[in-house]
Amino acid sequence: MSVEKMSVSFDLDLGAAIRHAASLNNESVSGWLAEAARDRLRRLTLEIALQEWEETFGALTEAEIELARKRRSVMLDESPEQAVVS
């Protein structure tokens, strides 16, 4: 697998938090940051798809948003009150 080496900068507290989070999962900092970037890219892709959907079909209704919250809470095994769709 090819990789690209990058140099990134973080404030000291964020850097420490990233190193700690990576160590909790026994991951390298690079691996942890790569997964965080993948998550961010997935969210961005979803946001773009949602914008395109709404441009074509109109805004989601409150009922559709509530259904999404319920489905998400089931998938994440949490109560619907804990689910936050942003």
Side-chain angles (χ1 to χ4, degrees), residues 3-6 8 18-19 22 27-38:
V3 298
E4 179 179 354
K5 187 169 184 156
M6 298 178 146
V8 297
I18 291 168
R19 283 189 300 280
E27 294 179 76
S28 67
V29 169
S30 292
W32 192 92
L33 287 170
E35 187 58 33
R38 282 186 206 93

Side-chain angles (χ1 to χ4, degrees), residues 10-21:
F10 300 102
D11 65 58
L12 294 176
D13 290 339
L14 180 57
I18 291 168
R19 283 189 300 280
H20 179 71

Side-chain angles (χ1 to χ4, degrees), residues 6 10 33 57 60 73-74:
M6 298 178 146
F10 300 102
L33 287 170
F57 300 105
L60 294 172
S73 69
V74 167

Side-chain angles (χ1 to χ4, degrees), residues 44-65 67-68 71:
L44 177 60
T45 301
L46 181 57
E47 288 173 19
I48 292 168
L50 181 56
Q51 288 172 354
E52 291 173 355
W53 170 272
E54 289 186 332
E55 287 171 7
T56 303
F57 300 105
L60 294 172
T61 66
E62 286 300 317
E64 290 167 326
I65 292 170
L67 178 59
R71 287 181 177 168

